[in-house]
Amino acid sequence: MKGPFVIAVDGPAASGKGTIATGLGKAFDLPVLDTGLLYRAVGVLTARAGGLGDPETCAAAAATLTADQLSDPALRTREAGELASQVAVHPHVRSALLEFQRTFASQEQGSVLDGRDIGTVICPQAPAKLYVTASPQVRAQRRWRQLKAQGEPVSLDEVLADIHIRDARDGGRDDAPMRPAPDAVLLDTSEMTIEQAADAARRIVEAARARWDGS
Ligand code: DC
């Protein structure tokens, strides 16, 4: 029996995957889960409680996380992204967040999830998989502009350094490292505007949807 129409959107920090996932949600009328927010919430909550260095405390925060904890604007900061990447290396944190993500993905109407391991670990059966990339320089520019608009005083060089650290940590961890699934379509958005990237993503998913409808 075929499962729901799940769209998995993976890729590194500031690749544009969040904007693409939101656009796909609108285009296909599907709910969207930004799974980075789960890790950001765990990082911020455990750091506030002084437990960041302890994997068990991080895992306990992950196990009790609720959807209403994901709307805190503090989760959108540069610091929250770094904390998220740090707690995301712990296998117990990842396994504690697995059910939340799979429950979201099991909605009958279908769904869009964006993250690092959606196509490989969370929803390996997803009928549509995208891996969104862009060069580190382009990603740093985008993230820097976003942070500046949020009022964060940070230099472009600092953001580029963050991106290199995050790429190495997210791609180098043992448990569910950031990787394109073998059946993911790669979308390099380095030379694209966000509208072009969103359009390209929509066309890829339309083709996947037609295959899924006919299966
Ligand atoms: O997508 P983001 O920048 O909000 O993610 C923040 C961090 O969370 C990212 O650097 C690694 C971690 N993360 C993860 O390990 N797996 C996911 N599915 C999503 C995010």
Side-chain angles (χ1 to χ4, degrees):
M1 201 191 92
K2 75 180 180 187
F5 187 70
V6 175
I7 307 174
V9 184
D10 290 303
S15 55
K17 66 186 185 315
T19 312
I20 285 175
T22 306
L24 290 172
K26 287 208 180 88
F28 293 88
D29 196 20
L30 298 174
V32 181
L33 178 65
D34 170 359
T35 65
L37 281 179
L38 305 175
Y39 293 91
R40 285 171 180 258
V42 172
V44 169
L45 292 170
T46 45
R48 277 184 195 153
L52 195 67
D54 176 26
E56 294 311 313
T57 308
C58 298
T64 55
L65 198 68
T66 57
D68 52 303
Q69 288 172 302
L70 303 180
S71 49
D72 184 348
L75 304 187
R76 306 278 175 186
T77 63
R78 174 182 174 216
E79 190 195 358
E82 172 59 25
L83 293 172
S85 171
Q86 288 178 29
V87 299
V89 303
H90 301 311
H92 287 108
V93 168
R94 305 201 72 82
S95 58
L97 294 177
L98 193 79
E99 196 183 318
F100 190 113
Q101 296 171 86
R102 291 230 173 113
T103 300
F104 189 89
S106 68
Q107 298 176 75
E108 221 172 290
Q109 82 216 73
S111 55
V112 185
L113 289 88
D114 83 79
R116 302 290 186 291
D117 61 341
I118 308 303
T120 50
V121 174
I122 306 296
C123 304
Q125 311 300 336
K129 293 184 188 175
L130 279 154
Y131 192 84
V132 184
T133 57
S135 72
Q137 287 74 15
V138 167
R139 290 188 281 130
Q141 273 280 355
R142 288 178 185 161
R143 183 50 55 87
W144 178 66
R145 274 197 230 110
Q146 204 178 37
L147 291 171
K148 232 173 52 164
Q150 285 172 211
E152 278 211 44
V154 62
S155 73
L156 179 59
D157 281 350
E158 286 171 314
V159 178
L160 182 59
D162 284 357
I163 288 217
H164 283 306
I165 292 169
R166 295 258 302 270
D167 283 358
R169 196 190 291 117
D170 295 345
R173 66 184 176 224
D174 292 334
D175 192 18
M178 172 175 74
R179 294 258 185 293
D183 52 347
V185 179
L186 299 188
L187 181 60
D188 186 334
T189 66
S190 302
E191 307 283 321
M192 294 180 185
T193 63
I194 191 59
E195 290 77 18
Q196 288 170 332
D199 259 15
R202 194 177 32 75
R203 282 195 299 273
I204 292 165
V205 175
E206 272 166 4
R209 177 84 198 201
R211 284 195 298 276
W212 183 80
D213 281 339
S215 66

